Amino acid sequence: REKSFPRRSRRGVTRPVRQGRRTSNGNYRQSLGILGELRGRIRRFIEIHLSDPTLRPEEIALAFQISVRHLHRLFSVTGNTLAAYIRARRLEECRSDLANPRLQDHTITDLAFFWGFSDSAHFSHSFTKEFGVSPREFRARAASSEGQSNPYGRVRDLLRADTPEGRCTNPN
């Protein structure tokens, strides 16, 4: 089902506006499919350029020859912002690298900077907010569980803070 956004008319009355353009036969679904395909291509572009600290909406919009506003609109229908999507992907990659024993000789700041963060305090705060554990504590848990033979779900187990019922904490 299409997502609709409120829009003001000339008289100040709010009316819904559909996301997507009407095609020649009036089919919004086809238009939404095209928008979903474009969103997928944009996500692939982001994946390729994820470690670039200068990755900005303007650069992405320019690469796809769309406006920055349209770019933000494409991601708003997913219930997420473009910036939140990029930040979440960078945090996932940092988490993966922190759990990787081959990267133990790299500092946490080095890994954060590699994945596009430009401030270690901001990275640490974002990581803790997203995963409920600090990057340093996460890496320590990863190193201590390295000798265990559970290759599946290892990262999830590392995120389990000492919480009741073993649930991961994910504060908003």
Side-chain angles (χ1 to χ4, degrees):
R1 189 170 178 192
E2 303 102 38
K3 190 114 171 160
S4 62
F5 297 95
R7 183 179 200 181
R8 291 201 175 264
S9 69
R10 289 184 192 157
R11 295 182 187 139
V13 177
T14 303
R15 58 189 168 90
V17 175
R18 292 186 180 178
Q19 179 72 13
R21 294 186 177 141
R22 184 180 296 271
T23 58
S24 60
N25 63 358
N27 188 350
Y28 284 107
R29 287 179 192 242
Q30 180 182 355
S31 178
L32 290 173
I34 292 168
L35 294 177
E37 180 184 320
L38 177 59
R39 193 171 30 254
R41 290 191 353 243
I42 291 169
R43 284 183 174 149
R44 285 189 293 279
F45 179 87
I46 290 169
E47 289 298 317
I48 292 168
H49 297 91
L50 195 58
S51 63
D52 181 4
T54 62
L55 182 64
R56 302 276 186 267
E58 296 81 12
E59 179 185 344
I60 298 167
L62 182 64
F64 288 91
Q65 299 178 354
I66 60 175
S67 69
V68 175
R69 181 177 178 167
H70 184 62
L71 176 65
H72 285 296
R73 213 176 311 139
L74 283 170
F75 277 83
S76 70
V77 297
T78 65
N80 212 351
T81 65
L82 175 64
Y85 175 77
I86 293 171
R87 183 176 45 253
R89 286 297 304 125
R90 285 178 171 167
L91 287 170
E92 287 288 330
E93 293 298 333
C94 288
R95 181 180 73 171
S96 177
D97 285 355
L98 287 171
N100 187 344
R102 293 182 191 145
L103 299 176
Q104 288 295 317
D105 55 334
H106 294 282
T107 66
I108 293 171
T109 301
D110 288 342
L111 295 175
F113 282 11
F114 175 80
W115 285 111
F117 288 94
S118 57
D119 180 28
S120 58
H122 172 70
F123 164 71
S124 182
H125 176 75
S126 298
F127 189 94
T128 304
K129 185 176 179 183
E130 181 74 19
F131 302 117
V133 62
S134 72
R136 179 176 290 159
E137 187 178 344
F138 178 82
R139 184 176 244 186
R141 289 181 185 183
S144 69
S145 70
E146 191 176 312
Q148 297 175 358
S149 62
N150 180 15
Y152 302 105
R154 189 167 151 246
V155 171
R156 178 174 288 164
D157 292 339
L158 294 173
L159 290 173
R160 292 179 196 258
D162 299 323
T163 58
E165 303 167 15
R167 286 185 286 173
C168 296
T169 59
N170 189 1
N172 292 331

